[in-house]
Amino acid sequence: MFEVSFDLLALLVAAAFAAGFIDAIAGGGGLVTVPALLLAGADPVTALATNKVQGLFGAGSAALSYARGGHVKLQRQIGPALVAFAASMCGALLVSIVPTDLIRLVLPIVLVAIALFFALRKGLDDADSHARLTPVVFAASIVPLCGLYDGLLGPGAGSFYMLGFVTLAGYGILKATAHTKLLNFASNLGGLAVFAVVATPWWFVGLAMAAAQVVGAQCGAALAQRIGARLIKPLLVATSCLLAAKLLWEMI
């Protein structure tokens, strides 16, 4: 039934739980699950496609948890989520057309810059600040850019959403995290809609990992809501730096 042996499945499920926990707090869950899928024998395209299967459940579960906690009104995010979904589909369709080598070269620098911003910028906490963009402009500009990137490549998409919400929408750290999750869910779903046609995800493995993702996401979101920016900021910095290091390692 499953595409891998049960011992490998157990490891993948454990990786999915850890990824769901991390992703619900600061994003970057793919740092755990994509390498785990590759080690389990998936080719790169299958690994990315399967990661979309399990990742969207974790993001959706975290979004519901933050909504129950009163940190986000999901009904108000339906429009931006549809934009993220469509943009991610476009990005996934462009994978074989757009040369991504240049993006991969620049991406580690951008991720380190994001890490430094959140590590060194004073005054970043759970309090809202001045918004530089209206919600409509934000949904029409930043959301499709992040969604397009998520479908095209994916690593660090949560960090880009977070950066946009904090610097341009004026959200506090916890509120920004909460608002990122539904958009992550939508862009994962958009990418998966294309990957399901052009690739062959490990569906049964992906769904087993999804169950663990949901549990991990619930634990992570609960902890983030209890501790807030004091937990989210250092974990966001760490995941951004680790992702940058991973991308640099792959270029060597």
mmCIF file of all heavy atoms in Angstrom, residues 3 9 15 19 21 35 43 83 90-92 116 118 124 135 141 147 158-159 169 171 185 206 209 219 223 226 242 245:
data_model
loop_
_atom_site.group_PDB
_atom_site.id
_atom_site.type_symbol
_atom_site.label_atom_id
_atom_site.label_comp_id
_atom_site.label_asym_id
_atom_site.label_seq_id
_atom_site.Cartn_x
_atom_site.Cartn_y
_atom_site.Cartn_z
ATOM 1 N N GLU A 3 4.323 3.525 -0.379
ATOM 2 C CA GLU A 3 5.374 3.517 -1.387
ATOM 3 C C GLU A 3 6.754 3.209 -0.812
ATOM 4 O O GLU A 3 7.719 3.053 -1.560
ATOM 5 C CB GLU A 3 5.417 4.876 -2.087
ATOM 6 C CG GLU A 3 4.178 5.199 -2.903
ATOM 7 C CD GLU A 3 3.074 5.893 -2.102
ATOM 8 O OE1 GLU A 3 3.176 5.916 -0.850
ATOM 9 O OE2 GLU A 3 2.137 6.405 -2.715
ATOM 10 N N LEU A 9 8.732 4.576 6.603
ATOM 11 C CA LEU A 9 7.502 5.332 6.837
ATOM 12 C C LEU A 9 7.493 5.916 8.246
ATOM 13 O O LEU A 9 7.086 7.071 8.449
ATOM 14 C CB LEU A 9 6.287 4.429 6.633
ATOM 15 C CG LEU A 9 4.926 5.088 6.842
ATOM 16 C CD1 LEU A 9 4.685 6.172 5.801
ATOM 17 C CD2 LEU A 9 3.803 4.040 6.784
ATOM 18 N N ALA A 15 9.498 12.759 11.007
ATOM 19 C CA ALA A 15 9.984 13.995 10.389
ATOM 20 C C ALA A 15 8.830 14.955 10.138
ATOM 21 O O ALA A 15 8.961 16.182 10.326
ATOM 22 C CB ALA A 15 10.701 13.679 9.079
ATOM 23 N N ALA A 19 8.363 18.704 11.480
ATOM 24 C CA ALA A 19 8.181 19.769 10.498
ATOM 25 C C ALA A 19 6.911 20.561 10.769
ATOM 26 O O ALA A 19 6.891 21.789 10.653
ATOM 27 C CB ALA A 19 8.135 19.172 9.088
ATOM 28 N N PHE A 21 5.468 21.010 13.641
ATOM 29 C CA PHE A 21 5.713 21.814 14.844
ATOM 30 C C PHE A 21 6.491 23.078 14.490
ATOM 31 O O PHE A 21 6.098 24.193 14.859
ATOM 32 C CB PHE A 21 6.491 20.970 15.857
ATOM 33 C CG PHE A 21 6.768 21.674 17.158
ATOM 34 C CD1 PHE A 21 5.829 21.663 18.173
ATOM 35 C CD2 PHE A 21 7.965 22.350 17.353
ATOM 36 C CE1 PHE A 21 6.078 22.317 19.377
ATOM 37 C CE2 PHE A 21 8.226 23.003 18.541
ATOM 38 C CZ PHE A 21 7.274 22.991 19.556
ATOM 39 N N PRO A 35 14.452 16.745 2.732
ATOM 40 C CA PRO A 35 15.614 15.853 2.829
ATOM 41 C C PRO A 35 15.233 14.443 3.277
ATOM 42 O O PRO A 35 15.822 13.463 2.805
ATOM 43 C CB PRO A 35 16.499 16.544 3.879
ATOM 44 C CG PRO A 35 16.111 17.972 3.820
ATOM 45 C CD PRO A 35 14.641 17.962 3.541
ATOM 46 N N ASP A 43 12.758 10.771 -5.871
ATOM 47 C CA ASP A 43 13.509 11.677 -6.721
ATOM 48 C C ASP A 43 13.094 13.113 -6.368
ATOM 49 O O ASP A 43 12.070 13.316 -5.698
ATOM 50 C CB ASP A 43 13.249 11.386 -8.203
ATOM 51 C CG ASP A 43 11.800 11.588 -8.586
ATOM 52 O OD1 ASP A 43 11.384 12.752 -8.796
ATOM 53 O OD2 ASP A 43 11.064 10.582 -8.676
ATOM 54 N N VAL A 83 -5.783 34.360 -4.286
ATOM 55 C CA VAL A 83 -4.673 34.943 -5.058
ATOM 56 C C VAL A 83 -3.426 34.074 -4.914
ATOM 57 O O VAL A 83 -2.734 33.778 -5.896
ATOM 58 C CB VAL A 83 -4.391 36.385 -4.588
ATOM 59 C CG1 VAL A 83 -3.118 36.919 -5.248
ATOM 60 C CG2 VAL A 83 -5.566 37.302 -4.909
ATOM 61 N N CYS A 90 0.517 29.147 -11.136
ATOM 62 C CA CYS A 90 1.307 29.743 -12.223
ATOM 63 C C CYS A 90 2.792 29.450 -12.029
ATOM 64 O O CYS A 90 3.506 29.107 -12.984
ATOM 65 C CB CYS A 90 1.080 31.251 -12.279
ATOM 66 S SG CYS A 90 -0.586 31.728 -12.779
ATOM 67 N N GLY A 91 3.269 29.571 -10.783
ATOM 68 C CA GLY A 91 4.668 29.291 -10.502
ATOM 69 C C GLY A 91 5.039 27.853 -10.808
ATOM 70 O O GLY A 91 6.086 27.578 -11.403
ATOM 71 N N ALA A 92 4.171 26.915 -10.410
ATOM 72 C CA ALA A 92 4.441 25.502 -10.668
ATOM 73 C C ALA A 92 4.445 25.206 -12.165
ATOM 74 O O ALA A 92 5.239 24.388 -12.647
ATOM 75 C CB ALA A 92 3.398 24.638 -9.965
ATOM 76 N N LEU A 116 18.785 38.298 9.635
ATOM 77 C CA LEU A 116 19.399 39.448 10.304
ATOM 78 C C LEU A 116 18.359 40.508 10.660
ATOM 79 O O LEU A 116 18.439 41.135 11.726
ATOM 80 C CB LEU A 116 20.477 40.051 9.396
ATOM 81 C CG LEU A 116 21.744 39.211 9.214
ATOM 82 C CD1 LEU A 116 22.646 39.826 8.160
ATOM 83 C CD2 LEU A 116 22.480 39.063 10.545
ATOM 84 N N PHE A 118 15.152 40.071 11.436
ATOM 85 C CA PHE A 118 14.380 39.669 12.608
ATOM 86 C C PHE A 118 15.251 39.557 13.860
ATOM 87 O O PHE A 118 14.773 39.746 14.975
ATOM 88 C CB PHE A 118 13.671 38.341 12.344
ATOM 89 C CG PHE A 118 12.419 38.484 11.521
ATOM 90 C CD1 PHE A 118 12.422 38.186 10.177
ATOM 91 C CD2 PHE A 118 11.242 38.938 12.096
ATOM 92 C CE1 PHE A 118 11.273 38.334 9.404
ATOM 93 C CE2 PHE A 118 10.086 39.091 11.344
ATOM 94 C CZ PHE A 118 10.102 38.789 9.992
ATOM 95 N N LEU A 124 10.647 44.724 17.416
ATOM 96 C CA LEU A 124 9.803 43.696 16.812
ATOM 97 C C LEU A 124 9.248 42.787 17.902
ATOM 98 O O LEU A 124 9.975 42.028 18.530
ATOM 99 C CB LEU A 124 10.605 42.862 15.808
ATOM 100 C CG LEU A 124 10.954 43.515 14.471
ATOM 101 C CD1 LEU A 124 11.704 42.527 13.596
ATOM 102 C CD2 LEU A 124 9.699 44.005 13.757
ATOM 103 N N PRO A 135 -4.687 46.536 3.033
ATOM 104 C CA PRO A 135 -4.896 45.103 2.798
ATOM 105 C C PRO A 135 -5.108 44.754 1.332
ATOM 106 O O PRO A 135 -4.626 43.722 0.856
ATOM 107 C CB PRO A 135 -6.146 44.796 3.631
ATOM 108 C CG PRO A 135 -6.113 45.800 4.742
ATOM 109 C CD PRO A 135 -5.561 47.044 4.122
ATOM 110 N N SER A 141 -0.213 42.586 -4.430
ATOM 111 C CA SER A 141 1.204 42.711 -4.776
ATOM 112 C C SER A 141 2.069 41.668 -4.071
ATOM 113 O O SER A 141 2.662 40.797 -4.715
ATOM 114 C CB SER A 141 1.702 44.128 -4.443
ATOM 115 O OG SER A 141 1.474 44.430 -3.075
ATOM 116 N N GLY A 147 3.244 33.736 -3.497
ATOM 117 C CA GLY A 147 2.592 32.542 -4.010
ATOM 118 C C GLY A 147 3.280 32.012 -5.255
ATOM 119 O O GLY A 147 3.469 30.798 -5.413
ATOM 120 N N GLY A 158 7.329 30.802 3.585
ATOM 121 C CA GLY A 158 6.742 31.274 4.835
ATOM 122 C C GLY A 158 7.485 32.477 5.393
ATOM 123 O O GLY A 158 6.871 33.403 5.939
ATOM 124 N N SER A 159 8.807 32.487 5.252
ATOM 125 C CA SER A 159 9.607 33.627 5.723
ATOM 126 C C SER A 159 9.278 34.883 4.928
ATOM 127 O O SER A 159 9.234 35.991 5.478
ATOM 128 C CB SER A 159 11.104 33.312 5.591
ATOM 129 O OG SER A 159 11.462 32.202 6.378
ATOM 130 N N ALA A 169 2.516 45.229 6.181
ATOM 131 C CA ALA A 169 1.160 45.244 6.734
ATOM 132 C C ALA A 169 1.135 45.760 8.166
ATOM 133 O O ALA A 169 0.070 46.063 8.700
ATOM 134 C CB ALA A 169 0.539 43.849 6.667
ATOM 135 N N TYR A 171 1.948 44.153 10.985
ATOM 136 C CA TYR A 171 1.470 43.201 11.987
ATOM 137 C C TYR A 171 2.556 42.885 13.005
ATOM 138 O O TYR A 171 3.750 42.883 12.679
ATOM 139 C CB TYR A 171 1.036 41.891 11.328
ATOM 140 C CG TYR A 171 -0.233 41.978 10.505
ATOM 141 C CD1 TYR A 171 -0.701 40.877 9.808
ATOM 142 C CD2 TYR A 171 -0.970 43.163 10.416
ATOM 143 C CE1 TYR A 171 -1.866 40.938 9.049
ATOM 144 C CE2 TYR A 171 -2.125 43.239 9.670
ATOM 145 C CZ TYR A 171 -2.567 42.124 8.980
ATOM 146 O OH TYR A 171 -3.718 42.197 8.243
ATOM 147 N N PHE A 185 -1.116 27.515 3.168
ATOM 148 C CA PHE A 185 -2.011 26.418 2.796
ATOM 149 C C PHE A 185 -2.460 26.570 1.346
ATOM 150 O O PHE A 185 -2.411 25.617 0.558
ATOM 151 C CB PHE A 185 -3.223 26.401 3.727
ATOM 152 C CG PHE A 185 -4.322 25.479 3.280
ATOM 153 C CD1 PHE A 185 -4.276 24.113 3.561
ATOM 154 C CD2 PHE A 185 -5.413 25.966 2.574
ATOM 155 C CE1 PHE A 185 -5.289 23.262 3.134
ATOM 156 C CE2 PHE A 185 -6.429 25.122 2.146
ATOM 157 C CZ PHE A 185 -6.365 23.773 2.426
ATOM 158 N N GLY A 206 2.372 10.550 1.681
ATOM 159 C CA GLY A 206 2.035 11.946 1.935
ATOM 160 C C GLY A 206 0.887 12.103 2.910
ATOM 161 O O GLY A 206 0.917 12.970 3.796
ATOM 162 N N MET A 209 2.077 11.150 6.414
ATOM 163 C CA MET A 209 2.846 12.265 6.951
ATOM 164 C C MET A 209 1.935 13.433 7.312
ATOM 165 O O MET A 209 2.193 14.171 8.272
ATOM 166 C CB MET A 209 3.898 12.708 5.942
ATOM 167 C CG MET A 209 4.989 11.688 5.683
ATOM 168 S SD MET A 209 6.146 12.210 4.369
ATOM 169 C CE MET A 209 7.047 13.529 5.211
ATOM 170 N N CYS A 219 0.482 21.356 18.101
ATOM 171 C CA CYS A 219 1.388 21.576 19.243
ATOM 172 C C CYS A 219 2.183 22.868 19.058
ATOM 173 O O CYS A 219 2.326 23.667 19.999
ATOM 174 C CB CYS A 219 2.343 20.393 19.386
ATOM 175 S SG CYS A 219 1.561 18.825 19.821
ATOM 176 N N LEU A 223 1.924 26.394 21.333
ATOM 177 C CA LEU A 223 3.086 26.945 22.036
ATOM 178 C C LEU A 223 3.370 28.374 21.585
ATOM 179 O O LEU A 223 3.684 29.245 22.408
ATOM 180 C CB LEU A 223 4.300 26.049 21.782
ATOM 181 C CG LEU A 223 5.540 26.332 22.634
ATOM 182 C CD1 LEU A 223 5.242 26.119 24.108
ATOM 183 C CD2 LEU A 223 6.697 25.421 22.195
ATOM 184 N N ARG A 226 1.123 30.796 23.176
ATOM 185 C CA ARG A 226 1.389 30.983 24.604
ATOM 186 C C ARG A 226 2.620 31.861 24.834
ATOM 187 O O ARG A 226 2.652 32.662 25.776
ATOM 188 C CB ARG A 226 1.581 29.616 25.267
ATOM 189 C CG ARG A 226 1.642 29.676 26.781
ATOM 190 C CD ARG A 226 1.272 28.358 27.434
ATOM 191 N NE ARG A 226 2.160 27.264 27.031
ATOM 192 C CZ ARG A 226 1.774 26.207 26.324
ATOM 193 N NH1 ARG A 226 0.519 26.093 25.919
ATOM 194 N NH2 ARG A 226 2.625 25.251 26.013
ATOM 195 N N LEU A 242 19.395 28.140 8.502
ATOM 196 C CA LEU A 242 19.591 26.737 8.133
ATOM 197 C C LEU A 242 19.202 26.491 6.677
ATOM 198 O O LEU A 242 19.871 25.733 5.969
ATOM 199 C CB LEU A 242 18.775 25.833 9.063
ATOM 200 C CG LEU A 242 19.322 25.665 10.482
ATOM 201 C CD1 LEU A 242 18.316 24.925 11.353
ATOM 202 C CD2 LEU A 242 20.649 24.897 10.447
ATOM 203 N N ALA A 245 21.918 27.849 4.515
ATOM 204 C CA ALA A 245 23.071 26.951 4.538
ATOM 205 C C ALA A 245 22.807 25.710 3.679
ATOM 206 O O ALA A 245 23.706 25.242 2.966
ATOM 207 C CB ALA A 245 23.375 26.536 5.984
#
